[in-house]
Amino acid sequence: MNIPKYGAPSLHTVLKKKVNEYFEQTKVKPTGNAKLYLKCAILLIGYAGLYTHLVFFTPHIAIALLECVLLGLLTAFIGFNVMHDGAHGSFSRRHWVNRLAARTLDFMGASSFMWNVKHNMVHHAFTNIDGVDDDIDARPFLRLCETQKRLKMHRYQHLYFWALYALLYFFWIFYTDYKKYFTRRVGSVPLKPIRFRDHLLFWGFKGIYPFVFILLPMYCCGVIPWLVGYLILASVAGFTLSIVFQLAHTVEETEFPVPLQPAGRVEDEWALSQLKTTANFATKNRFITWCLGGLNFQIEHHLFPKVSHVHYPAIGRIIRQTCLDLGVPYIEHRRMSLAVASHVAHLRKMGMRR
């Protein structure tokens, strides 16, 4: 497939003007603030504390199992709140701080270099475009849009999807990063040239991870306790990461643009395409917003990825009203449960429809 092209960006110009006016009038920077840095400290200290307690002061089995669940959640929450903003350059005004925040992903086993290409460069540019956006390619196990081939097992995908989502963390760390590295591609998109430093960091962190999360815990706790704990941690982290991103793009209300061939042109301009392919959920729930790093404000994130998530509630009101005034889509589920129901319904429809 040719790399898709979008129409003239008139809508995005209007939205940028209004959002820029907000930051000018309030005299705040679009990057992170003290609230974000405090949350970062809470998450990282909590993560380090739980890891230390589990590995070096292994508690009673009931407490240990609970702590493994919490460690899995914290893995996802650090990804949402710290890594995600850092990778987009919105965590801080200082470039080195953003790089450090993004590196939390490398420490937890995945490659921030591969994430930058897969997420920042491909997913954000070509959201929900089959054959380009790697985030909607879960074949052969899931069929996420009508242009993908339907298999018999997809009839049941709305029942078994949760088990696949739980495997995301395993596949990400031990398979997909390596596949991208050796094939030099993210889906159909070639990787940008890998510098020597990026090679070094890729293999360095890939070597550190087994020692910190496999060998050392196995030595300190025993093989079976480590295996049970690690499976819980990785499954919880994988499911949490998967479901949050799926609720943003693969629900009943979102679209999956098909570029017009042979030119590969998308009829809508980029900003309008983002509004049609992206959905918010539970934006009034402060606890969910805090835990998910504002990724329940996915529309705001896609339109303004360089703005830190701490500002999404404020700019969300501006974007929502502007969309209402202009008569363009603004997809939102009031509660997370409604978004989950819509996602399950979408999976069921894709499994049944030829």
Side-chain angles (χ1 to χ4, degrees):
M1 176 184 287
N2 293 327
I3 298 300
K5 307 175 186 66
Y6 294 95
S10 57
L11 175 60
H12 201 212
T13 301
V14 173
L15 292 170
K16 281 198 295 184
K17 182 176 182 295
K18 289 182 177 291
V19 169
N20 288 339
E21 285 174 354
Y22 163 78
F23 285 112
E24 290 171 3
Q25 292 169 3
T26 57
K27 293 181 170 56
V28 299
K29 299 294 183 183
T31 49
N33 55 23
K35 290 182 179 180
L36 175 57
Y37 305 144
L38 175 61
K39 177 161 60 168
C40 173
I42 292 171
L43 293 173
L44 293 178
I45 291 171
Y47 187 90
L50 279 174
Y51 174 88
T52 301
H53 190 240
L54 276 167
V55 175
F56 301 108
F57 306 93
T58 308
H60 183 272
I61 184 170
I63 297 175
L65 293 175
L66 176 61
E67 289 187 353
C68 288
V69 171
L70 292 175
L71 198 59
L73 288 173
L74 283 177
T75 299
F77 294 166
I78 289 170
F80 296 146
N81 290 275
V82 184
M83 181 282 292
H84 195 242
D85 271 27
H88 279 289
S90 64
F91 187 85
S92 168
R93 284 175 286 170
R94 294 176 174 83
H95 183 59
W96 69 269
V97 177
N98 286 318
R99 284 205 314 268
L100 192 62
R103 289 278 177 244
T104 57
L105 182 62
D106 295 279
F107 180 78
M108 291 187 291
S111 168
S112 60
F113 177 89
M114 299 301 169
W115 169 266
N116 178 58
V117 179
K118 170 187 169 65
H119 183 76
N120 295 10
M121 297 173 63
V122 179
H123 171 67
H124 271 263
F126 310 111
T127 310
N128 275 16
I129 297 180
D130 185 31
V132 184
D133 185 1
D134 193 55
D135 279 10
I136 61 167
D137 185 4
R139 290 171 288 192
F141 307 107
L142 294 175
R143 182 186 189 229
L144 297 177
C145 62
E146 292 185 352
T147 53
Q148 295 175 351
K149 183 179 179 180
R150 178 183 173 273
L151 303 178
K152 288 184 179 179
M153 67 178 176
H154 294 151
R155 180 176 297 182
Y156 307 102
Q157 65 179 7
H158 64 289
L159 301 176
Y160 64 72
F161 74 94
W162 60 271
L164 291 177
Y165 291 178
L167 295 174
L168 170 73
Y169 191 65
F170 298 102
F171 272 86
W172 191 355
I173 291 171
F174 298 112
Y175 175 69
T176 57
D177 271 349
Y178 292 107
K179 179 183 177 182
K180 293 176 177 65
Y181 182 89
F182 287 111
T183 62
R184 295 292 196 271
R185 305 185 74 82
V186 175
S188 61
V189 180
L191 278 180
K192 64 180 182 179
I194 305 178
R195 299 171 297 177
F196 175 76
R197 185 171 70 94
D198 295 320
H199 284 290
L200 197 63
L201 288 169
F202 180 89
W203 288 110
F205 279 106
K206 286 295 185 183
I208 291 172
Y209 182 82
F211 174 77
V212 174
F213 290 93
I214 299 176
L215 297 178
L216 183 60
M218 193 183 295
Y219 174 78
C220 294
C221 306
V223 175
I224 299 301
W226 161 78
L227 180 60
V228 172
Y230 185 73
L231 289 175
I232 292 172
L233 180 162
S235 297
V236 170
F239 181 82
T240 306
L241 290 164
S242 293
I243 196 66
V244 168
F245 285 108
Q246 294 291 4
L247 297 185
H249 300 292
T250 54
V251 290
E252 288 182 293
E253 298 82 359
T254 53
E255 296 183 5
F256 297 82
V258 178
L260 301 175
Q261 301 302 327
R265 179 167 294 279
V266 178
E267 290 185 282
D268 297 319
E269 63 166 284
W270 176 81
L272 181 56
S273 182
Q274 295 303 305
L275 289 168
K276 290 182 176 181
T277 59
T278 308
N280 285 359
F281 61 91
T283 56
K284 302 295 184 184
N285 190 315
R286 293 186 178 182
F287 178 74
I288 288 178
T289 299
W290 192 93
C291 291
L292 303 189
L295 290 180
N296 50 330
F297 286 86
Q298 194 75 197
I299 292 172
E300 286 67 30
H301 171 61
H302 266 254
L303 292 173
F304 297 96
K306 293 292 185 182
V307 173
S308 172
H309 75 265
V310 295
H311 304 295
Y312 291 166
I315 69 171
R317 291 188 286 271
I318 298 170
I319 295 170
R320 184 186 295 108
Q321 187 59 51
T322 303
C323 290
L324 182 64
D325 293 341
L326 296 176
V328 295
Y330 187 91
I331 305 168
E332 184 169 20
H333 296 104
R334 289 182 294 107
R335 298 193 301 273
M336 189 170 184
S337 59
L338 295 176
V340 172
S342 183
H343 175 58
V344 173
H346 175 74
L347 289 177
R348 188 174 186 277
K349 182 170 69 176
M350 290 300 102
M352 296 296 181
R353 182 179 295 177
R354 291 190 180 276

